[in-house]
Amino acid sequence: MSSNLHPMLNVAIKAARAAGAIINRAALDVEAVRVSVKQTNDFVTEVDQNAEAAIIETLLTAYPGHGILAEESGSEHGAKDSEFVWIIDPLDGTTNFIHGFPFYCVSIALAVRGKVEQAVVYDPNRNDIYSASKGRGAYVNDRRIRVAKRTRLQETLISTGFPYRPGDKLKPYLNMLGEVMSQCAGVRRPGAAALDLAHVAAGNSDGFFESGLKPWDVAAGSLLVTEAGGLIGNFTGEADFMDHGECVAANPRIYGQLVATLAKYSKFAGAGDKATVRQALQDARAEPAGAENNTEGSEGPASVVAEKATLKARKIKAQPAADSGAPDAPF
């Protein structure tokens, strides 16, 4: 990694690597790992807990006055009233991990006064560090990454996450999935939202959507996407999505088209959305060629396309997601 990284990002990378070392050691004999069930199909292992402890120890040793919001221990550690809060998922993709399926990651983000400013997603299988500091771009290892440039939804590869908890609304999701599948080239369900978002930022997939998410699933990935020139929000296109439990991310042109498709499935959707999302989709597809290339910053035509699409899909008064940098944290 580059030596001119933000000091807090360097500490986050150190913490992610410490967690990754614990995960990789355990992966050598995954059948020996003790697994507990939080609820049906929702697992936690001693690896999650040990990796989280290593992350928290590293972060609080460097910044003892900072707060912590972690998947397994919540806000038990760290300062309770700090403007600096680390949002941690020590092992995103636990179900993959305990089955030996090599798609899982460590996710660490720093929110300052509710805005994500530092982000690390570490893929221990590939030894890839995805990182971003607000306003300084997104990287994998030392290479700058950008969202994909495709502009037509029918040419895209989209990733998603399936409902798996008791009480999740499976039928509406299957309707939504069927609609997206019919409009794109392919849909994948890798099983770790933070790493899915990192791959959107790197241009390896064109977009991502999922419901039922928690802040630690998406905090770091959200900054990777926006710093790579993409947009991220809830299904109706609102940028302050982290406590909404739903997420869509893509480059600005594809984002507008996905929001036009997904908005009516949002728990925030109103009765008039069906007509407005159809118009939004038309607008997103009708924008002049070339707009998709202007994803650097937040003032180019590409972000205007997404702004028009999302405002029509949901009649809201909101800033463009790219302009806001990263979404509000839920505290």
Side-chain angles (χ1 to χ4, degrees), residues 153-215:
L153 190 57
Q154 57 263 44
E155 298 174 350
T156 59
L157 179 67
I158 304 297
S159 58
T160 186
F162 298 153
Y164 63 92
R165 299 181 185 92
D168 284 348
K169 296 179 179 178
L170 182 59
K171 188 171 181 180
Y173 176 82
L174 291 176
N175 293 337
M176 178 170 63
L177 177 63
E179 196 166 341
V180 174
M181 287 176 67
S182 70
Q183 295 174 5
C184 67
V187 174
R188 302 290 182 266
R189 200 283 193 195
L195 197 48
D196 284 329
L197 289 170
H199 282 295
V200 171
N204 301 330
S205 64
D206 298 283
F208 168 77
F209 70 96
E210 187 173 352
S211 57
L213 294 167
K214 300 295 185 182

Side-chain angles (χ1 to χ4, degrees), residues 118-282:
Q118 310 293 335
V120 174
V121 171
Y122 178 44
D123 178 351
N125 285 292
R126 299 174 62 91
N127 195 28
D128 283 337
I129 288 276
Y130 297 86
S131 65
S133 293
K134 189 173 182 180
R136 299 177 69 172
Y139 294 82
V140 57
N141 305 322
D142 284 323
R143 178 174 61 84
R144 180 76 181 263
I145 53 177
R146 304 291 298 165
V147 291
K149 293 183 178 180
R150 292 180 186 86
T151 62
R152 301 170 67 226
L153 190 57
Q154 57 263 44
E155 298 174 350
T156 59
L157 179 67
I158 304 297
S159 58
T160 186
F162 298 153
Y164 63 92
R165 299 181 185 92
D168 284 348
K169 296 179 179 178
L170 182 59
K171 188 171 181 180
Y173 176 82
L174 291 176
N175 293 337
M176 178 170 63
L177 177 63
E179 196 166 341
V180 174
M181 287 176 67
S182 70
Q183 295 174 5
C184 67
V187 174
R188 302 290 182 266
R189 200 283 193 195
L195 197 48
D196 284 329
L197 289 170
H199 282 295
V200 171
N204 301 330
S205 64
D206 298 283
F208 168 77
F209 70 96
E210 187 173 352
S211 57
L213 294 167
K214 300 295 185 182
W216 45 79
D217 295 318
V218 295
S222 69
L223 186 64
L224 292 175
V225 168
T226 56
E227 287 296 320
L231 300 176
I232 187 166
N234 71 3
F235 289 170
T236 61
E238 296 173 81
D240 57 341
F241 73 96
M242 266 218 289
D243 57 347
H244 291 179
E246 58 186 44
C247 170
V248 56
N251 76 34
R253 282 290 292 274
I254 300 303
Y255 179 87
Q257 294 169 59
L258 282 173
V259 166
T261 297
L262 299 173
K264 62 180 173 287
Y265 296 101
S266 173
K267 59 186 176 183
F268 304 100
D273 277 324
K274 288 187 178 180
T276 56
V277 297
R278 280 197 295 269
Q279 184 60 50
L281 182 56
Q282 292 172 8

